[in-house]
Amino acid sequence: GKCIVAVIHDISLALRFCDTIILLDGGKVISVNSPSEIVKSKHIDDVFKVTCKEITIDNEKEFIIRR
């Protein structure tokens, strides 16, 4: 297997393209999980002060982010 580590500050891109997300706040690890689980846990809402929802369109997961 192969592993790619990327630092992505765009929430939308991270949710769309990453299999696993390490969510940090002030240098502390808040959560390590799949995009779906990160959104369900509401950690993104708390860290970035946004509302994030997961929806399915044509069997593809999409994420809606609102400030």
Side-chain angles (χ1 to χ4, degrees), residues 1-64:
K2 295 184 182 183
C3 175
I4 297 173
V5 176
V7 176
I8 301 174
H9 293 102
D10 184 314
I11 304 167
S12 299
L13 288 176
L15 291 172
R16 186 168 189 179
F17 293 109
C18 297
D19 296 323
T20 302
I21 292 177
I22 301 172
L23 183 62
L24 303 171
D25 188 12
K28 294 178 71 174
V29 175
I30 302 300
S31 184
V32 179
N33 223 320
S34 69
S36 294
E37 291 302 316
I38 294 274
V39 169
K40 287 178 194 172
S41 72
K42 302 291 185 192
H43 289 306
I44 285 181
D45 299 28
D46 297 338
V47 171
F48 290 98
K49 308 299 186 241
V50 297
T51 301
C52 189
K53 304 280 185 208
E54 179 181 3
I55 62 172
T56 302
I57 300 173
D58 297 330
N59 293 325
E60 296 283 330
K61 290 182 183 178
E62 296 289 337
F63 298 93
I64 305 296

